[in-house]
Amino acid sequence: MNSLESDPGAEPVESHGRSNFIRDAVIEDLKAGKHDGRVQTRFPPEPNGYLHIGHAKAICLDFGLAAEFGGKCNLRFDDTNPSKEETEYVDSIMDDVRWLGFQWDGLFYASDYFPQLHEWAVQLIKAGKAYVCDLTADEVRRHRGTLTEPGLESPYRNRSVEENLDLFQRMKNGEFPDGSRTLRAKIDMSSPILSMRDPVMYRILHMEHHRTGDQWRIYPMYDYAHGQSDSIEKVTHSICTLEFENNRPLYNWFIEQLGIFPSRQFEFDRLNITYTLLSKRRLLTLVQEGHVKSWDDPRMPTLSGMRRRGYTAEAIRTFCANISVSKTNNTVQLSALEYFLREDLNKRAARVMGVLRPLRVVIDNYPEDLVEEMDAVNNPEDENMGTRLIPFSKVLYIERDDFREDPPKQFFRLSPGREVRLRYGYLITCGAVVKDDNGNILELHCTYDPATRGGKTPDGRKVKSTIHWVSAAHAVDCEVRLYDNLFTKENPNEVEEGQDFTANLNPSSLEVLSGCKVEPSLREAPIGSRYQFERIGYFCVDTDSAPGRLVFNRTVGLRDTWSKIEQRGKK
RNA sequence: UGGGGAGUAGCCAAGCGGUAAGGCAGCGGACUUUGGAUCCGCCAUCCGAAGGUUCGAAUCCUUCCUCCCCAGCCA
C-alpha cells in the first residue's frame, strides 16, 4: 500500500485567495489586531482510517489559510480513543498530507497532552466543576433527558472534592473496571444544549494506546481534549465541520473555566460528491467486507486510492479551491471533480497510443518487411515535452470501436470502402472484412496511400476521422483496469427499508482488460507515470506492475462527444 | 418537539440597501492529424413563501415553509 513514493506531488502550494466566510473572519481578526496578527490553524485527524477527499477540503482550508497569512498549521492526531486508532493510519495520514503538497509546522498528538489534561481535570474537580459519577452508560443516557425535557442530576453530582479527588485518582490507577465510573463536568442538566448536560470528560478504558502504551487507564473524551489541545498549541482559528457547532458552547466552556488561551472554533460544510461515500466508517466497511481490495483501491475516494488511480495533488487542490467553503449542506457533482482532473492531466500527461480492444488490420499494399519510424508529438499543450518515434508496419491493431461494418449516421470512423487517417501514420481505406464461421470479425484488409506519410494530405483532401493504432510486431501487451462509479446511486446512502449502502454497490465498477496493446515507448514505463492514450483517456501505471507485466489504471476518460451522440440516437 | 445551523439556476457559489459574479453540467457554433484541447455565443426579470419598510430589497423587519445537526463512556 502507498507505494507511490516516486510521486511526492509536493509542488509548492500557491494560495488561491478565494473568498469564503472563514477567510473573511481571519481577515477581520487581523484588522482588529487580534493575537498580534498571528494566524494559526491545525489539521486534527483521528488516526482511525485513511484520509479521503473530504479531508482534502479541510486540509486545503487549514494549511491554505496559514500559508496565505504567514501563519502556522500543525498536524495533530486526535488520538483519545485507543480502541479505534492505529499507527498504520498515522503513517498513511502523514503520507497523504505531504502528497497533497502541504508541510505541517508542528507534529503533535492529543496523547502528548494527557498529563496536562489530567492536571486540568484535577483543577476542575478542586473548583467544584467536575465530579466522578458511578452511573452506568445506560443510566447516564436515561438521566440525560430528551430534546424537549431537561435531564436529571446524577446522584453522585454533589460528592465532596476530597471524595472526587480520591475516586479520580483510583480511576487513573486502574482500580475500577471499564465503564464503571466516569469523570463528568458539572454544568447544567437542564440546558437546552444536550452537550452541556454534564458531559463525560474521562472514561475508564483498560486498553493499550498506540503511543502511550499501558500508561493510562483513563482516556479523555473528544470534547475535553480538543479545545484544550488547540489552546495549548495557541491555535487561533480552529476549523472543523458543521456537526461540531453543537459542541462549540462546551469547547468554549472548558477554555473559560480553565482560563487558558482562547482558541476559537469555526465550522464549515463537509464535502459530499455524487456516487461517492465519504465516511471513514463506511469506507472501513468496504475494505473489511472485501467490496474493494484495500484502502488504496483505485475506486476508493481515499487520497491513497485516488493517488493510485492517477489523480494529481494539483487537481485535487484546484477542485477544493473551486468548490469553495460555506455552511450549506451540499453535494458536488462528480463531473466537477473530473473536470479539474482532466484540466490538469491535459497539461502534463504525455500522449501515447494504446489499443484497448485490438482489431487486426493488414495493409495489403504495404511492403512485407518494411518498418518506418513515424514522428509523433508528445504533448500538443507543451512543446517542451518533445517528440518521439513510433514504428509503423504492415500489420497493425486498431480499436474495435473504431470500425463499424454498418456505420450509423454520424459515425465517421472506419467502415468498408471508407478512408480514415491513422494518426502520424498514413491514410488507409478499408477493403475486405474477414470473419470466422460465427460472423465475428477477425481482421480487416486495408490499402494505404504512400503519399500521405505522417498522416499528411498533400492534395488537401479531407478525412472525417483520425484513429489511433499500434504496430502489431512492436506492440507491448498489457492489462488495463477500467473503473466506473463504486455506487449506482447518486446518493449511495439512499436505500430500501432493511438494506444498507452496500446494496447500491456497482457490480461493474471494475472491468479488467487483458491483451491490450500499447506502443513500445511504454515498455519501461515506471509505476505511477501518467499518460493520455490518445482519444481514450488518461491512464497511469499501477503498483501491481512488474518488469514484463504492465498494468494500467484508467484514471478518467477523455470527454467523449461521440458516445453522447450515439446515446442520443438510441433514445 | 428544545437548541443549533442553512435555503440564490440541474450542481457548487459570489453577493452584505443601488437593480443577480464565476465555475461545473447543458445547448449552439468556430477550429482541429485526438469526435481531445482551445475559442465564441446562449443558459435566474429573479434570490424558499407571503406580507411590510424604502425612491430603490436577494440584501432590513415580520410571519410562515423546507432541509441538516444534537439525546456515544465515538470523533
Coordinates of all heavy atoms in Angstrom, one line a residue, chain A residues 100-133:
Chain A
L100 N -0.4 15.6 -0.8 CA -1.3 16.7 -1.2 C -0.5 18.0 -1.4 O -0.9 18.9 -2.1 CB -2.4 16.9 -0.2 CG -3.8 16.7 -0.6 CD1 -4.7 17.4 0.4 CD2 -4.1 17.1 -2.0
G101 N 0.7 18.1 -0.9 CA 1.5 19.2 -1.1 C 1.7 20.2 0.1 O 2.1 21.3 0.0
F102 N 1.4 19.6 1.3 CA 1.5 20.5 2.5 C 2.5 20.0 3.5 O 2.7 18.8 3.6 CB 0.1 20.6 3.1 CG -0.9 21.2 2.3 CD1 -1.8 20.5 1.6 CD2 -1.0 22.6 2.1 CE1 -2.8 21.0 0.7 CE2 -1.9 23.2 1.3 CZ -2.8 22.4 0.6
Q103 N 3.1 20.9 4.2 CA 4.1 20.6 5.2 C 3.6 21.2 6.5 O 3.4 22.4 6.6 CB 5.5 21.1 4.8 CG 6.5 20.6 5.8 CD 6.5 19.1 6.1 OE1 6.1 18.7 7.2 NE2 6.8 18.3 5.1
W104 N 3.4 20.4 7.5 CA 3.0 20.9 8.8 C 4.1 21.6 9.5 O 5.3 21.3 9.3 CB 2.4 19.8 9.6 CG 3.2 18.6 9.7 CD1 4.2 18.3 10.6 CD2 3.1 17.5 8.9 NE1 4.7 17.1 10.4 CE2 4.1 16.6 9.3 CE3 2.4 17.1 7.8 CZ2 4.4 15.3 8.7 CZ3 2.6 15.9 7.1 CH2 3.6 15.0 7.6
D105 N 3.7 22.5 10.4 CA 4.7 23.2 11.3 C 5.0 22.2 12.4 O 6.1 21.6 12.5 CB 4.2 24.5 11.7 CG 4.2 25.5 10.5 OD1 5.3 26.0 10.2 OD2 3.2 25.8 9.9
G106 N 4.1 22.1 13.3 CA 4.3 21.2 14.4 C 3.6 19.8 14.2 O 2.6 19.8 13.5
L107 N 4.2 18.7 14.7 CA 3.5 17.4 14.6 C 3.2 17.1 16.0 O 4.1 16.9 16.9 CB 4.5 16.4 14.0 CG 4.0 15.0 14.0 CD1 2.7 14.8 13.2 CD2 5.0 14.0 13.5
F108 N 1.9 17.0 16.3 CA 1.5 16.7 17.7 C 0.5 15.6 17.8 O -0.1 15.2 16.8 CB 0.9 18.0 18.4 CG 1.9 19.1 18.4 CD1 1.7 20.2 17.6 CD2 3.0 19.1 19.2 CE1 2.6 21.3 17.6 CE2 3.9 20.1 19.3 CZ 3.7 21.2 18.5
Y109 N 0.3 15.1 19.0 CA -0.7 14.1 19.3 C -1.5 14.6 20.5 O -0.9 15.1 21.4 CB -0.1 12.8 19.6 CG 0.7 12.2 18.5 CD1 2.0 12.6 18.2 CD2 0.1 11.2 17.7 CE1 2.7 12.1 17.1 CE2 0.9 10.6 16.6 CZ 2.1 11.1 16.3 OH 2.9 10.6 15.3
A110 N -2.8 14.4 20.5 CA -3.6 14.8 21.7 C -3.0 14.0 22.9 O -3.0 14.5 24.0 CB -5.1 14.4 21.5
S111 N -2.5 12.8 22.6 CA -1.9 12.0 23.7 C -0.7 12.6 24.3 O -0.4 12.3 25.5 CB -1.6 10.6 23.2 OG -0.8 10.6 22.1
D112 N -0.1 13.6 23.6 CA 1.1 14.3 24.2 C 0.6 15.1 25.4 O 1.3 15.4 26.3 CB 1.6 15.4 23.2 CG 2.3 14.7 22.0 OD1 2.7 13.5 22.1 OD2 2.4 15.4 20.9
Y113 N -0.7 15.5 25.3 CA -1.3 16.4 26.3 C -2.0 15.6 27.5 O -2.6 16.3 28.3 CB -2.2 17.4 25.7 CG -1.6 18.1 24.5 CD1 -2.4 18.2 23.3 CD2 -0.3 18.5 24.5 CE1 -1.8 18.8 22.2 CE2 0.3 19.2 23.4 CZ -0.5 19.3 22.2 OH 0.0 19.9 21.1
F114 N -2.0 14.3 27.5 CA -2.7 13.6 28.5 C -2.3 14.1 29.9 O -3.2 14.2 30.8 CB -2.4 12.1 28.4 CG -3.3 11.4 27.3 CD1 -3.1 10.1 26.9 CD2 -4.2 12.2 26.6 CE1 -3.8 9.5 25.9 CE2 -5.0 11.6 25.5 CZ -4.8 10.2 25.2
P115 N -1.0 14.3 30.2 CA -0.6 14.7 31.6 C -1.2 16.1 31.9 O -1.8 16.3 33.0 CB 0.9 14.8 31.5 CG 1.3 13.8 30.4 CD 0.2 14.0 29.4
Q116 N -1.1 17.0 31.0 CA -1.7 18.3 31.2 C -3.2 18.3 31.4 O -3.8 19.0 32.2 CB -1.3 19.3 30.0 CG -2.0 20.6 30.1 CD -1.5 21.5 31.2 OE1 -2.1 21.5 32.3 NE2 -0.3 22.1 31.0
L117 N -3.8 17.5 30.5 CA -5.3 17.4 30.6 C -5.7 16.8 31.9 O -6.7 17.2 32.5 CB -5.8 16.4 29.4 CG -6.4 16.9 28.1 CD1 -6.3 18.4 27.9 CD2 -5.9 16.2 26.9
H118 N -4.9 15.9 32.4 CA -5.2 15.2 33.7 C -5.1 16.3 34.8 O -6.0 16.4 35.7 CB -4.3 14.1 33.9 CG -4.4 13.5 35.3 ND1 -5.4 12.7 35.7 CD2 -3.6 13.8 36.4 CE1 -5.2 12.4 37.0 NE2 -4.2 13.0 37.5
E119 N -4.1 17.1 34.7 CA -3.8 18.1 35.7 C -5.0 19.1 35.7 O -5.5 19.5 36.8 CB -2.5 18.8 35.4 CG -1.9 19.6 36.5 CD -0.5 20.1 36.0 OE1 0.3 19.3 35.6 OE2 -0.4 21.4 35.9
W120 N -5.4 19.5 34.6 CA -6.6 20.4 34.5 C -7.9 19.8 35.0 O -8.7 20.4 35.6 CB -6.8 20.8 33.0 CG -5.9 22.0 32.6 CD1 -5.3 22.9 33.4 CD2 -5.4 22.3 31.3 NE1 -4.5 23.8 32.7 CE2 -4.6 23.4 31.4 CE3 -5.6 21.7 30.1 CZ2 -3.9 24.0 30.3 CZ3 -5.0 22.3 28.9 CH2 -4.1 23.4 29.1
A121 N -8.0 18.5 34.8 CA -9.2 17.8 35.4 C -9.2 17.9 36.9 O -10.2 18.2 37.5 CB -9.2 16.3 34.9
V122 N -8.0 17.7 37.5 CA -7.9 17.8 38.9 C -8.3 19.2 39.4 O -9.0 19.4 40.3 CB -6.5 17.4 39.4 CG1 -6.3 17.8 40.8 CG2 -6.2 15.9 39.1
Q123 N -7.8 20.1 38.6 CA -8.1 21.6 38.9 C -9.6 21.8 38.9 O -10.1 22.5 39.7 CB -7.4 22.4 37.9 CG -7.4 23.9 38.1 CD -6.7 24.7 36.9 OE1 -5.7 24.2 36.4 NE2 -7.3 25.8 36.5
L124 N -10.3 21.3 37.9 CA -11.7 21.4 37.8 C -12.4 20.8 38.9 O -13.4 21.3 39.4 CB -12.2 20.9 36.4 CG -11.8 21.8 35.2 CD1 -12.2 21.2 33.9 CD2 -12.5 23.2 35.3
I125 N -11.9 19.6 39.3 CA -12.5 18.9 40.5 C -12.4 19.8 41.7 O -13.4 20.0 42.4 CB -11.9 17.5 40.7 CG1 -12.2 16.6 39.6 CG2 -12.3 17.0 42.1 CD1 -11.4 15.3 39.7
K126 N -11.2 20.3 41.9 CA -11.0 21.2 43.1 C -11.9 22.4 43.1 O -12.3 22.9 44.1 CB -9.5 21.6 43.1 CG -8.6 20.5 43.6 CD -7.1 20.9 43.6 CE -6.2 19.8 44.0 NZ -4.8 20.0 43.7
A127 N -12.2 22.9 41.9 CA -13.0 24.1 41.7 C -14.5 23.7 41.8 O -15.4 24.6 41.7 CB -12.7 24.8 40.4
G128 N -14.8 22.4 42.0 CA -16.2 22.0 42.1 C -16.9 22.0 40.8 O -18.1 22.0 40.7
K129 N -16.1 21.9 39.7 CA -16.6 21.9 38.4 C -16.7 20.6 37.7 O -17.1 20.4 36.5 CB -15.8 22.9 37.5 CG -15.6 24.3 38.0 CD -16.8 25.1 37.7 CE -16.6 26.6 38.1 NZ -17.7 27.4 37.9
A130 N -16.2 19.6 38.4 CA -16.2 18.2 37.8 C -16.4 17.2 38.9 O -16.0 17.5 40.1 CB -14.9 18.0 37.1
Y131 N -17.0 16.1 38.6 CA -17.2 15.0 39.6 C -17.2 13.6 39.0 O -17.4 13.5 37.8 CB -18.6 15.3 40.3 CG -19.8 15.1 39.4 CD1 -20.5 13.9 39.3 CD2 -20.2 16.2 38.6 CE1 -21.6 13.8 38.4 CE2 -21.3 16.1 37.7 CZ -22.0 14.9 37.7 OH -23.1 14.8 36.8
V132 N -16.9 12.7 39.9 CA -16.8 11.3 39.5 C -18.3 10.8 39.6 O -18.9 11.0 40.6 CB -15.9 10.5 40.4 CG1 -16.0 9.0 40.0 CG2 -14.4 10.9 40.1
C133 N -18.7 10.1 38.6 CA -20.1 9.6 38.5 C -20.1 8.1 38.4 O -19.4 7.6 37.6 CB -20.8 10.3 37.3 SG -22.5 9.7 37.1

